[in-house]
Amino acid sequence: MQPLLVEIEVPTDLDSLKLPAGVNERLQELLDRQDRGQPLTAAERAEAEGLVDLAELLSLLRLRAQRLWQERSHA
């Protein structure tokens, strides 16, 4: 697979690049249940994995945007 360069507008408020509170609460609920040894259904496990992937993508976007803004402020 070759990397693909995509340009997107990133909000200046980097805190907005995170899971919405309700979605994050759902993810925490699923992870807490799993940590307590309560098995998740296949659908819940898939939901948790998808939310973790989304949270990681948002974190990556936030960090890259932050790095670019820092580079530009020092240029």
Side-chain angles (χ1 to χ4, degrees), residues 51-66:
L51 292 175
V52 167
D53 289 346
L54 180 57
E56 289 176 350
L57 176 62
L58 290 171
S59 292
L60 179 63
L61 284 173
R62 187 174 53 249
L63 291 172
R64 288 190 175 176
Q66 199 170 32

Side-chain angles (χ1 to χ4, degrees), residues 14-72:
L14 293 181
D15 286 338
S16 64
L17 290 174
K18 62 183 181 184
L19 292 177
V23 176
N24 190 51
E25 286 175 21
R26 175 65 175 156
L27 175 58
Q28 291 307 313
E29 175 188 322
L30 292 170
L31 296 177
D32 289 346
R33 280 183 43 204
Q34 195 170 33
D35 287 347
R36 289 192 302 264
Q38 297 173 338
L40 301 178
T41 66
E44 289 170 330
R45 191 171 32 259
E47 180 184 3
E49 289 171 359
L51 292 175
V52 167
D53 289 346
L54 180 57
E56 289 176 350
L57 176 62
L58 290 171
S59 292
L60 179 63
L61 284 173
R62 187 174 53 249
L63 291 172
R64 288 190 175 176
Q66 199 170 32
R67 186 179 66 190
L68 284 173
W69 286 341
Q70 287 173 348
E71 287 173 1
R72 288 180 182 175

